[in-house]
């Protein structure tokens, strides 16, 4: 699949050989160059935006049921090609093959979910002060969407934008992350297979600072849907030259609180899953754990054992490995930096702490899932997003202290609680200043509920009906009627 997509851009329903500079894409598990993509030139970006504008005129006027059918077809095409698409993702991103396939199937789920929502874009009739007037509140698609996405979930994070936008009647130009462009191009291939009209879906590859920024600044783009770091999100917000709708899904620094009433086994299992899945490269990863003093020693011991027990491998060779390679040298370097900072400031190493040994790991970006205890908020691991397989643990004495520590961050994406006591659950979930609170589970986002961050974690929502509303404008149509003549 990769060779077939190399150096191509998908614009106006056609595969064009890109004219710009070639950028290598590496397999992070082996260092091997998988292929090259073309950095879209300003002229190619203009053509893509113009194609999306032209297609918008038709797509936005199509009966919603037709858009719904198209999205169902896309979902079916994605499911049918799930194995090949998953392989592409594992090769460029590093996550184990089974996990990559799970992500592709979730992309298909998003297609079908928003296919159903497309036919439910209702309006309202609002009462007026006199009965001769109707106020209709109707919803209309915003226009052309520029979607800019990161590399950690290369299919799903495109899918939520693509499906929400298309269901609403918008068209889209996607700029995927530099590390994972082939998954995005594979999605474009599925849009082609699903016979989504030319120009409705376009993919341009290349560096964020040039191609992404060009979409942000483009007068033909009506909305930017961005997922990525808070720093780039802020830059996008500040650099829009004109007023544009923005949704920004940004970084996190997510806490887990484990109270004395918690089911310890479940808490350890949840903590391991959400700290280390995808090598901790998840915006909603558990970065820091606050555990009640009476159970702290046992929790830390079991957490360390569980982390040490995770199977790490090249995800192509071992599809069911727990974790694969990290996506690039950058998050690995940051993980090491946060670990060294914590240890220098008095943290204790409980598990991991080094790269795995052996020939299989020699050329890839591998690191053992790592737990440090005795942490404080002087350490980066507790206050910054690591985006790697490292979690810090700190003890608390009272619930108010745990809440204060958990909320002591500029971020507000997701938080987690393990507790059995209902009074504790209510007290904590009501006070955690986060867009998502998961209690006795660690799956903070599901397809049919809104998912979004607060504070520096962003604005806007994805998932659920709310995820589609982000692509719609309200229009108030106020009509005054006369009594009909000759009644
Ligand atoms: P990043 O911000 O470096 O890049 C994200 C995308 O923005 C890439 O496509 C990049 O090319 C592009 N970009 C970079 N500079 C740009 C610019 N000046 N103008 C326009 N586009 C530009 O993020 P990343 O390293 O790819 O991803 C990791 C980050 O994403 C983490 O902070 C993580 O928390 C966040 N994230 C958030 C969510 C969420 O739902 N809130 C989900 C996944 C990842």
């Amino acid at each position: 699949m990769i060779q077939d997509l190399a150096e191509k851009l998908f614009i106006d329903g056609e595969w064009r050989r890109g004219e710009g500079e070639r950028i290598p894409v590496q397999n992070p598990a082996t260092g091997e160059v998988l292929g090259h993509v073309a950095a879209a030139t300003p002229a190619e970006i203009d053509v893509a935006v113009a194609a999306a504008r032209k297609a918008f005129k038709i797509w936005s006027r199509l009966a919603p049921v037709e858009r719904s059918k198209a999205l169902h077809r896309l979902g079916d095409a994605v499911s049918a090609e799930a194995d090949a698409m998953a392989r592409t993702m594992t090769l460029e991103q590093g996550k184990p093959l089974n996990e990559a396939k799970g992500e592709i199937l979730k992309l298909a789920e998003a297609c079908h979910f928003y296919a159903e929502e497309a036919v439910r874009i209702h309006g309202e009739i609002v009462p007026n002060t006199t009965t001769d007037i109707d106020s209709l509140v109707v919803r209309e698609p915003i226009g052309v969407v520029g979607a800019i996405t990161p590399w950690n979930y290369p299919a799903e994070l495109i899918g939520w934008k693509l499906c929400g936008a298309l269901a609403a009647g918008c068209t889209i130009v996607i700029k995927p992350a530099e590390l994972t462009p082939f998954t995005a191009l594979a999605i474009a291939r599925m849009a082609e297979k699903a016979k989504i009209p030319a120009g409705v879906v376009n993919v341009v590859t290349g560096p964020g600072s040039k191609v992404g920024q060009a979409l942000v600044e483009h007068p033909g783009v009506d909305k930017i849907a961005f997922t990525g770091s808070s720093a780039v999100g802020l830059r996008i917000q500040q650099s829009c030259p004109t007023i544009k709708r923005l949704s920004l899904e940004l970084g996190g620094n997510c806490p887990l609180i484990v109270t004395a009433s918690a089911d310890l086994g479940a808490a350890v299992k949840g903590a391991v899953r959400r700290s280390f899945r995808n090598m901790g490269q998840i915006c909603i990863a558990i970065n820091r754990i606050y555990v009640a003093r009476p159970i702290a020693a046992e929790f830390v011991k079991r957490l360390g054992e569980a982390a040490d027990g995770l199977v790490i491998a090249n995800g192509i060779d071992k599809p069911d490995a727990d974790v694969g390679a990290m996506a690039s040298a950058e998050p690995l370097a940051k993980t090491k930096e946060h670990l060294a900072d914590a240890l220098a400031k008095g943290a204790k190493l409980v598990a991991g702490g080094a790269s795995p040994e052996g020939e299989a790991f020699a050329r890839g970006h591998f690191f053992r899932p790592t737990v440090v205890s005795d942490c404080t908020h002087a350490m980066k691991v507790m206050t910054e997003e690591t985006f790697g397989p490292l979690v810090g643990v700190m003890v608390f004495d009272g619930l108010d202290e745990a809440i204060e520590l958990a909320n002591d961050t500029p971020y507000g994406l997701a938080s987690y609680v393990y507790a059995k006591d209902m009074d504790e659950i209510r007290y904590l979930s009501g006070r955690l200043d986060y867009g998502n609170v998961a209690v006795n589970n660690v799956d903070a986002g599901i397809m049919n509920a809104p998912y979004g961050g607060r504070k520096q974690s962003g604005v806007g929502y994805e998932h659920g009906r709310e995820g589609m509303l982000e692509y719609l404008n309200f229009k108030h149509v106020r009509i005054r009627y006369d009594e009909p003549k000759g009644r």
Side-chain angles (χ1 to χ4, degrees), residues 101-393:
K101 184 166 177 188
E103 186 183 336
I104 296 291
L105 293 177
K106 280 193 158 185
L107 164 65
E109 185 193 341
C111 296
H112 294 302
F113 178 83
Y114 283 112
E116 296 296 321
E117 286 300 317
V119 291
R120 298 195 185 103
I121 303 177
H122 304 149
E124 281 186 332
I125 300 176
V126 178
N128 273 264
T129 46
T130 56
T131 55
D132 59 340
I133 295 180
D134 277 346
S135 271
L136 314 181
V137 180
V138 294
R139 288 166 177 173
E140 294 181 343
I142 289 175
V144 173
V145 175
I148 304 174
T149 54
W151 45 263
N152 59 335
Y153 282 84
E156 272 190 284
L157 295 174
I158 289 176
W160 303 344
K161 295 166 186 59
L162 170 70
C163 300
L166 264 55
C170 294
T171 56
I172 197 162
V173 181
I174 299 163
K175 205 302 281 175
E178 293 88 320
L179 296 180
T180 55
F182 289 121
T183 302
L185 291 165
I187 294 171
R189 183 71 90 201
M190 296 309 113
E192 188 188 26
K193 270 195 164 185
K195 298 201 167 19
I196 295 195
V200 172
V201 179
N202 306 273
V203 177
V204 290
T205 50
S209 55
K210 290 189 180 146
V211 183
Q213 192 65 38
L215 289 177
V216 171
E217 292 175 10
H218 205 293
V221 174
D222 303 295
K223 173 189 167 124
I224 292 291
F226 172 78
T227 301
S229 60
S230 296
V232 173
L234 180 61
R235 196 192 145 80
I236 287 175
Q237 188 179 39
Q238 289 173 336
S239 64
C240 271
T242 54
I243 304 297
K244 241 174 233 219
R245 282 278 289 269
L246 288 178
S247 45
L248 305 170
E249 297 289 344
L250 309 177
N253 177 26
C254 307
L256 161 65
I257 297 174
V258 185
T259 76
S261 75
D263 172 339
L264 209 57
V268 168
K269 201 168 161 209
V272 166
R273 176 178 159 85
R274 192 45 73 227
S275 300
F276 301 123
R277 196 169 166 77
N278 200 15
M279 275 297 212
Q281 303 164 124
I282 315 185
C283 51
I284 56 166
I286 293 171
N287 296 140
R288 48 201 175 104
I289 301 176
Y290 304 97
V291 56
R293 193 173 296 278
I295 58 163
E298 182 63 14
F299 176 83
V300 168
K301 180 171 153 286
R302 284 164 69 171
L303 180 65
E305 287 165 0
D308 277 338
L310 292 174
V311 174
I312 178 167
N314 178 333
I316 287 283
D317 299 341
K318 194 163 174 41
D320 63 346
D322 293 306
V323 287
M326 297 183 74
S328 77
E330 207 180 309
L332 174 55
K334 194 171 180 196
T335 304
K336 288 181 179 169
E337 184 209 324
H338 281 197
L339 174 61
D341 172 78
L343 295 176
K345 290 173 181 163
K348 290 198 182 115
L349 185 65
V350 178
S355 299
E357 288 178 4
E359 182 56 23
F361 304 111
R363 280 167 291 282
H365 307 297
F366 291 95
F367 201 70
R368 286 204 172 284
T370 300
V371 179
V372 284
S373 68
D374 297 52
C375 292
T376 71
H377 273 213
M379 300 169 187
K380 290 180 181 177
V381 64
M382 302 302 277
T383 53
E384 293 180 23
E385 182 183 50
T386 305
F387 225 58
L390 171 65
V391 66
V393 186

Side-chain angles (χ1 to χ4, degrees), residues 40-88:
T41 63
E44 288 165 332
I45 296 165
D46 281 346
V47 176
V49 173
R53 287 225 76 80
K54 193 169 114 230
F56 177 70
K57 285 193 182 149
I58 299 161
W59 185 251
S60 60
R61 297 267 163 210
L62 213 58
V65 69
E66 297 304 327
R67 293 201 291 267
S68 174
K69 283 183 201 161
L71 279 166
H72 276 308
R73 290 198 302 273
L74 180 59
D76 291 343
V78 168
S79 299
E81 290 291 328
D83 287 324
M85 291 178 77
R87 197 179 160 77
T88 298

